[in-house]
Amino acid sequence: MSHNTFGHLFRVTTWGESHGPSIGAVVDGCPPRIPISEADIQADLDRRRPGQSRFTTQRREPDAVKILSGVFADESGQLLTTGTPISLLIENLDQRSKDYGEIRESYRPGHADMTYQAKYGIRDWRGSGRASARETASRVAAGAIARKIVPGVRVRGALVQIGALAIDRTNWNWDEVGNNPFFSPDAAIVDRWADYLDGIRKRGSSIGAVIEVVAEGVPAGLGAPIYGKLDQDIASAFMSINAVKGVEIGAGMGAALLTGEENADEMRIGPDGEPAFLSNHAGGILGGISTGQPIVARFAVKPTSSILIPRKSVNQRGEEIDVSTKGRHDPCVGIRAVPIGEAMLAIVLADHYLRHRGQVG
Ligand SMILES: Cc1cc2nc3c(=O)[nH]c(=O)nc-3n(C[C@H](O)[C@H](O)[C@H](O)COP(=O)(O)O)c2cc1C
């Protein structure tokens, strides 16, 4: 495989399989003299870590990150980036390959077994190998570094829908996101989601979800038309996350329901003499370039495909079979996808910030 790198100037390469000894990332192109520590990265990894509630997989991974290169301590002992490649390592400690023995030759419907086999003629069936969302821990680690690149930018995400149960947006409170196991900004929906997901889990089923990620403090001007548009790269970043089937920026698919006068983000002169928008249907991007408004993007994840309920499939020997996946799985992958979405948006913004600086100084 030769497509394991994302970004142009801030380049993230990830490596490793779900049940190999370790996974990791190499971040190349990070500017020098940026303070960074393992604790900063760990804080983000801890939010994505499995096994933190009954609503996520019970795989127990500490996900402890080690920085192997690219940093050096200043006189005070603070680690600073040196401008050289930053290598990050996360050990896999709770692999249970035998859980996957039964599906060694089977193609799980909705998973990548069939396509990896068709493409490479060989695949690491232990926990889905490279197709496993275990890989996304490496992205979250790299994203923690990306968050430090654009001055004043804050990237936050939240789960806004599980199945047909959407949050009430009038209840949106960012302070609630860390207070419940779902990253919900709406405290009122938490108990309903818990009951609903308990039912899904007990039936051996799974369900999809929608995640919203918002970046505030993004300066106007990031994004490079025509083929390096900011919204284009955000869509690519989100679509690269496992199980993602839809991406929206701003009003997204809902824009199709609006009239021109409803959709137009009107402008007035703000207190600082700069254009001020009266709404944000554009999601902070016009013509592929950031407007200075918050960037608002959403993605939909499909229901976890490894479920206990048997589904019709085939195996590598060309036989028709029924597949039921035992082992440890997320009943709704959308929950742990929140920090992953944040990381990918932070990586896109870091890359575009450096690309913008490279072109316009
Ligand atoms: C955080 C997260 C956890 C996931 N956990 C599982 C899982 O336990 N079982 C599963 O079948 N798929 C899981 N997935 C999804 C698969 O990795 C994904 O469906 C598979 O690689 C096929 O790729 P595609 O769905 O993008 O086409 C997870 C995805 C994410 C984002």
Side-chain angles (χ1 to χ4, degrees):
M1 277 200 271
S2 55
H3 297 87
N4 294 287
T5 302
F6 186 84
H8 292 255
L9 293 189
F10 188 91
R11 289 171 71 79
V12 175
T13 303
T14 71
W15 55 268
E17 284 80 25
S18 169
H19 285 49
S22 52
I23 56 171
V26 176
V27 178
D28 201 4
C30 182
R33 299 186 303 279
I34 293 179
I36 189 87
S37 70
E38 286 176 352
D40 294 334
I41 302 173
Q42 197 61 53
D44 277 3
L45 279 171
D46 286 349
R47 294 174 63 235
R48 183 211 151 277
R49 201 153 43 87
Q52 302 198 76
S53 78
R54 65 181 189 277
F55 306 110
T56 61
T57 172
Q58 293 307 302
R59 181 168 172 167
R60 298 269 163 199
E61 288 289 358
D63 280 354
V65 69
K66 282 189 199 136
I67 305 178
L68 301 184
S69 67
V71 294
F72 196 69
D74 67 8
E75 309 77 54
S76 71
Q78 166 71 59
L79 285 182
L80 300 177
T81 60
T82 58
T84 60
I86 304 168
S87 196
L88 305 169
L89 180 97
I90 302 165
E91 285 183 61
N92 292 328
L93 297 177
D94 190 19
Q95 313 100 314
R96 293 206 320 218
S97 304
K98 66 174 169 37
D99 280 353
Y100 294 88
E102 280 181 30
I103 54 144
R104 194 177 182 146
E105 296 205 313
S106 315
Y107 297 151
R108 286 164 298 170
H111 220 294
D113 310 319
M114 182 253 145
T115 49
Y116 267 58
Q117 191 67 35
K119 185 172 179 69
Y120 302 107
I122 181 170
R123 77 194 152 91
D124 182 345
W125 47 265
R126 304 162 308 161
S128 317
R130 187 79 181 139
S132 164
R134 181 98 193 103
E135 182 270 345
T136 60
S138 307
R139 303 172 186 227
V140 170
I145 300 174
R147 284 181 191 274
K148 296 176 173 274
I149 306 299
V150 193
V153 165
R154 183 173 198 190
V155 180
R156 293 183 286 187
L159 192 62
V160 297
Q161 190 170 333
I162 296 181
L165 300 179
I167 62 158
D168 177 349
R169 298 185 75 88
T170 61
N171 290 342
W172 192 296
N173 179 356
W174 281 114
D175 293 335
E176 285 299 330
V177 170
N179 289 341
N180 63 79
F182 302 110
F183 298 103
S184 172
D186 172 9
I189 205 162
V190 170
D191 289 345
R192 277 174 74 204
W193 277 356
D195 288 346
Y196 179 64
L197 266 190
D198 275 337
I200 294 275
R201 198 166 45 88
K202 283 176 191 153
R203 283 196 351 249
S205 182
S206 63
I207 190 72
V210 179
I211 294 91
E212 182 162 317
V213 190
V214 179
E216 288 159 308
V218 179
L222 304 195
I226 295 296
Y227 298 117
K229 292 181 176 176
L230 191 56
D231 36 2
Q232 171 189 349
D233 285 350
I234 293 169
S236 169
F238 282 177
M239 206 39 111
S240 76
I241 300 171
N242 312 42
V244 172
K245 280 295 174 189
V247 178
E248 293 187 331
I249 311 284
M253 296 288 176
L257 305 173
L258 300 178
T259 60
E261 65 275 22
E262 286 167 337
N263 184 62
D265 295 319
E266 296 181 284
M267 283 177 267
R268 284 288 181 239
I269 299 299
D272 55 357
E274 296 294 322
F277 292 90
L278 306 185
S279 59
N280 190 13
H281 295 105
I285 303 169
L286 289 170
I289 301 173
S290 59
T291 62
Q293 288 217 84
I295 291 184
V296 182
R298 280 177 296 283
F299 58 95
V301 291
K302 69 189 191 185
T304 324
S305 42
S306 42
I307 50 174
L308 274 170
I309 299 172
R311 299 282 85 192
K312 294 187 186 66
S313 189
V314 298
N315 66 19
Q316 253 166 257
R317 291 194 298 274
E319 296 158 347
E320 293 188 343
I321 53 168
D322 283 349
V323 175
S324 152
T325 321
K326 300 179 189 70
R328 301 163 296 174
H329 304 283
D330 288 282
C332 175
V333 303
I335 303 171
R336 292 199 300 130
V338 174
I340 304 167
E342 292 175 1
M344 291 312 289
L345 184 54
I347 290 169
V348 172
L349 292 174
D351 188 39
H352 271 282
Y353 177 75
L354 299 180
R355 285 156 74 180
H356 178 67
R357 211 168 61 171
Q359 185 178 25
V360 306

